[in-house]
C-alpha cells in the first residue's frame, strides 16, 4: 500500500481519519478494559506528529524539538526556583518573557518578511504550546502547581489532537485524566460523545465549511472585487454584506469542525479536552459571545491577562475607578489578542473593535440595571439582542478577514 504521508496533515481529508482510527484501536481496547497503554500512546502520538512535520516541513519538526528543550529548561528552572522558597516578581516576569519570546519573533517575522531567516523558529502549533507553557509557569507562581512530571508535561505540550489549533487544555485537568484510566461505563460514554463529535465535525468542516468557504466565498469575493473596481456604490455594499455573512459562516464551521475533531479524538484517547464552541451565534451580547466562541482561548486570555492585570492595577492603585480599570483591561486584553493573530492592521483593529464593543455593552448593562423598570425584557428584545450581537460579530469577522484591504488595493 502506498501511504501518501505528504497529504496526511491533521484533519485535512477523510483518508487521514482512516489511518487515525486504525491506530486508535489498541488504545481504545485498553481503555475499554480499564488500562491506559502509555507507551503505545506515546509512540502513536510521535507517529502522527511526524505526519504533521514530514516532507517539506521537516525543519518545523526540528524547530519544535529545539523549542521544547528551551521551554522545558525555563519551566523546570522556575519550578526549582519556587521550590527553594523564592518568589521574586522579576524572576517570574523573566520566565514568562523568555517563554513568549520565540512566539513574538515568529509573529514579527510573519509580519515583516524581510526579517525572516528561512526555517528559523516557526512551526505549526507554536502559539498553543506557548500558551500551555505560560499557564504552567503562572500556576507554579500561584502555588496551584507544586510538582510537574516531565513525562506528563511533555505529553501535555505535544498532545497531538490539539497541537496545531487547540483547544487549549489546562495541565492539572489533563494530568488528572492522563493518570487515571476511565471505568468501562465511563469510557463507553466517552466513545458515544467521540463518535457524535466526529460526525458533527465532518458536517461542519467538510460539508458546511466547504460550501461556505470553497464554493460560495470565492464567487462572492470575485463579484465584490469586480463591482468595487467598477465603483459600484450601493451594489458593492450588497456584495460586501454577502461576503461578511458568508465568511463568518465559513470561519465558524471550519474552525468549529476542526475543534470537534480534536475533542473527538481526545475522547477516544480517554482525555476530556474541553469544548471550544457553544452556539456562539445565539449570544445576546458581545460578552456572552466570548463565553461561547473559542472558549479555551478566551478563558486563557481572561485568566492570565485580564484578571492578572486587573489585580495588579488594583493592588498598586494604578487606576482607582473600577469602571475605567475594566475598560483599560479590555483594551489591553483584546489589543494583545489582535497582535497575537498577527501584526497587521486588520487583526489589531479586530481586537480593538471587540474591546470597544464590550465597553459599550457594559455601559448598556449598567443602564439596564439602573432603569430596570423602563427597559422591557421579552422575547422580542431578546431576539433583537441576538440579531444585533450577530451582526456586530460578523462585522468584526469582515475586518478580521482582510478583505477590506483587498477592496482598497483593488480601487487603488
Amino acid at each position: 500500500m502506498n501511504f501518501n504521508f505528504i497529504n496526511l496533515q491533521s484533519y485535512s481529508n477523510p483518508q487521514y481519519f482512516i489511518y487515525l482510527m486504525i491506530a486508535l484501536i489498541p488504545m481504545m481496547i485498553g481503555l475499554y478494559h480499564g488500562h491506559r497503554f502509555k507507551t503505545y500512546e506515546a509512540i502513536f502520538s510521535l507517529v502522527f506528529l511526524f505526519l504533521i512535520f514530514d516532507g517539506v516541513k521537516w525543519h518545523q519538526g526540528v524547530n519544535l524539538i529545539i523549542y521544547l528543550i528551551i521551554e522545558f529548561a525555563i519551566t523546570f528552572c522556575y519550578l526549582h526556583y519556587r521550590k527553594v522558597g523564592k518568589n521574586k516578581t522579576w524572576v517570574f516576569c523573566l520566565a514568562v518573557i523568555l517563554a513568549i519570546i520565540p512566539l513574538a519573533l515568529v509573529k514579527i517575522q510573519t509580519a515583516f518578511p524581510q526579517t525572516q531567516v528561512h526555517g528559523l523558529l516557526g512551526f505549526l502549533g507554536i502559539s498553543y504550546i506557548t500558551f500551555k507553557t505560560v499557564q504552567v509557569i503562572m500556576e507554579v507562581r500561584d502555588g496551584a502547581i507544586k510538582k510537574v512530571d516531565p513525562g506528563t508535561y511533555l505529553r501535555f505540550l505535544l498532545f497531538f489532537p490539539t497541537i496545531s489549533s487547540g483547544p487549549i487544555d489546562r495541565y492539572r485537568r489533563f494530568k488528572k485524566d492522563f493518570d487515571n484510566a476511565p471505568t468501562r461505563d465511563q469510557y463507553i460514554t466517552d466513545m458515544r460523545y467521540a463518535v457524535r463529535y466526529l460526525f458533527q465535525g465532518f458536517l461542519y468542516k467538510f460539508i458546511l465549511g466547504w460550501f461556505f468557504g470553497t464554493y460560495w466565498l470565492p464567487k462572492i469575493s470575485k463579484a465584490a472585487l469586480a463591482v468595487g473596481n467598477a465603483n459600484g456604490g450601493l451594489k458593492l455594499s450588497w456584495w460586501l454584506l454577502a461576503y461578511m455573512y458568508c465568511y463568518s459562516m465559513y470561519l465558524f464551521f471550519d474552525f468549529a469542525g476542526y475543534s470537534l475533531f480534536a475533542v473527538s479524538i481526545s475522547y477516544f484517547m480517554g482525555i476530556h479536552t474541553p469544548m471550544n464552541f457553544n452556539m456562539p451565534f445565539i449570544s445576546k451580547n458581545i460578552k456572552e459571545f466570548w463565553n461561547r466562541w473559542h472558549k479555551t482561548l478566551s478563558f486563557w486570555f481572561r485568566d492570565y491577562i485580564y484578571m492578572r492585570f486587573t489585580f495588579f492595577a488594583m493592588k498598586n492603585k494604578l487606576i482607582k475607578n473600577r469602571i475605567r480599570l475594566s475598560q483599560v483591561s479590555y483594551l489591553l486584553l483584546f489589543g494583545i489578542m489582535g497582535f497575537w493573530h498577527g501584526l497587521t492592521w486588520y487583526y489589531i483593529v479586530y481586537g480593538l473593535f471587540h474591546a470597544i464593543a464590550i465597553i459599550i455593552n457594559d455601559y448598556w448593562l449598567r443602564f439596564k440595571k439602573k432603569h430596570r423598570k423602563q427597559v422591557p425584557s421579552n422575547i422580542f428584545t431578546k431576539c433583537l439582542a441576538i440579531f444585533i450581537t450577530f451582526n456586530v460579530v460578523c462585522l468584526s469577522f469582515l475586518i478580521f478577514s482582510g478583505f477590506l484591504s483587498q477592496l482598497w488595493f483593488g480601487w487603488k
Side-chain angles (χ1 to χ4, degrees), residues 51-111:
L51 295 180
I52 294 175
F53 298 111
D54 73 322
V56 295
K57 295 184 178 180
W58 67 268
H59 62 276
Q60 291 192 25
V62 174
N63 293 342
L64 170 61
I65 294 170
I66 296 171
Y67 184 73
L68 286 172
I69 293 171
I70 294 172
E71 298 300 279
F72 257 67
I74 295 168
T75 301
F76 285 95
C77 283
Y78 185 70
L79 182 64
H80 175 74
Y81 172 81
R82 289 289 288 122
K83 278 184 177 180
V84 297
K86 297 180 180 179
N87 193 21
K88 295 288 186 181
T89 300
W90 73 267
V91 177
F92 163 71
C93 293
L94 178 62
V96 171
I97 291 170
L98 289 175
I100 292 174
I101 282 176
L103 175 60
L105 292 176
V106 168
K107 295 297 181 181
I108 292 170
Q109 287 188 3
T110 303

Side-chain angles (χ1 to χ4, degrees), residues 305-321 324-326 328-329 332:
I305 296 178
Y306 177 86
M307 296 301 296
R308 288 172 185 271
F309 173 77
T310 301
F311 289 147
F312 174 80
M314 289 175 62
K315 182 180 178 181
N316 292 277
K317 299 180 181 179
L318 299 180
I319 304 173
K320 294 182 179 180
N321 186 298
R324 296 291 172 266
L325 175 57
S326 68
V328 171
S329 298
L332 175 67

Side-chain angles (χ1 to χ4, degrees), residues 225-278:
L225 289 170
V227 172
N229 289 332
N231 196 20
L234 182 62
K235 201 171 180 182
L236 172 62
S237 300
W238 285 109
W239 280 112
L240 198 58
L241 200 64
Y243 185 93
M244 180 180 81
Y245 289 130
C246 188
Y247 179 79
S248 297
M249 293 302 101
Y250 160 68
L251 187 64
F252 169 69
F253 286 118
D254 184 75
F255 194 13
Y258 176 93
S259 295
L260 283 165
F261 289 146
V263 173
S264 170
I265 302 308
S266 300
Y267 270 60
F268 278 123
M269 298 172 69
I271 302 293
H272 297 145
T273 293
M275 292 292 287
N276 234 359
F277 295 89
N278 179 24

